[in-house]
Amino acid sequence: MDLRAALTAHRLVAIVRGADPEAALRTVLTLADAGIELIEVSLTGKDALSVIERARRDLGPDRPLGAGTVLTADDARAAHRAGADFAVTPALGDGAEAARELGMPVLAGVMTPTEILTARTLGAAALKIFPAAQAGGPAYLRALRGPFPHEPFVPVGGIDDLAARAYLAAGATAVGVGSPLVGDAADGGSLTDLRARARAFRAAVQEVTR
């Protein structure tokens, strides 16, 4: 898949991490049904590979589905076997390299200019600023866009709908959102509430002029 194009088009990645695999699967499917086009299942969730495999079967081959917290080469290979289209990493390392070798585009975690250059060398499709709030928020993103005006940045970490607007206005290509969007749905919480949050986030990211 063309991850950079998908991020540019949809501007939002939902991050699903849960202690209940059945609830996590329901969360993925509900988000997809609610119009969230890019969904990442974190490998730190319980039975995450099974969730990815079952979600791939239910969503079909054409719906983008990512694996998150890909740290090692084994993580990348397992995610690929389970049916993930793209890999998301919190940092640079073996997981990012192995995913690229497998043909999976990588949303690679970076914090500093040096890491941005390293990610570019690794062939990352986009750059995940993580943890975004602790890095300095939208002001830090604006500073990075000085020397790197064309890099596709995706802030992740503690982003609610207001922060999503601010990051996109500061030049982010997309934002990655976990608990402010997913809430407790992946642990068995309300899917009705999840749908409402999905509508709010979709509206938020669509409001900001590119």
Side-chain angles (χ1 to χ4, degrees), residues 164-186:
R165 291 181 177 91
Y167 281 111
L168 292 170
T173 297
V175 292
V177 184
S179 57
L181 168 56
V182 173
D184 62 354

Side-chain angles (χ1 to χ4, degrees), residues 2 28 148:
D2 186 338
V28 172
F148 303 107

Side-chain angles (χ1 to χ4, degrees), residues 19-90:
D20 180 339
E22 296 299 327
L25 177 61
R26 290 193 297 269
T27 297
V28 172
L29 299 179
T30 299
L31 287 167
D33 187 61
I36 304 298
E37 295 293 334
L38 294 173
I39 302 169
E40 160 198 342
V41 178
S42 172
L43 296 186
T44 57
K46 186 174 181 181
D47 294 337
L49 291 169
S50 174
V51 173
I52 293 172
E53 185 174 5
R54 295 165 66 193
R56 166 56 63 219
R57 183 178 64 242
D58 290 344
L59 293 172
D62 299 324
R63 191 68 178 255
L65 183 63
T69 324
V70 175
L71 299 176
T72 68
D74 285 343
D75 288 340
R77 288 189 285 265
H80 185 259
R81 287 194 300 270
D85 297 298
F86 62 95
V88 184
T89 73

Side-chain angles (χ1 to χ4, degrees), residues 89-90 107-112 115-116 126-138 140-142 144-145 152-157 159 167 172 174 176:
T89 73
L107 174 53
V110 299
M111 179 71 81
T112 67
E115 291 173 345
I116 291 169
L127 305 174
K128 168 182 169 179
I129 302 177
F130 176 81
Q134 288 74 16
Y140 184 61
L141 172 61
R142 288 192 186 91
L144 288 177
R145 285 181 57 78
F153 290 115
V154 182
V156 178
I159 296 177
Y167 281 111

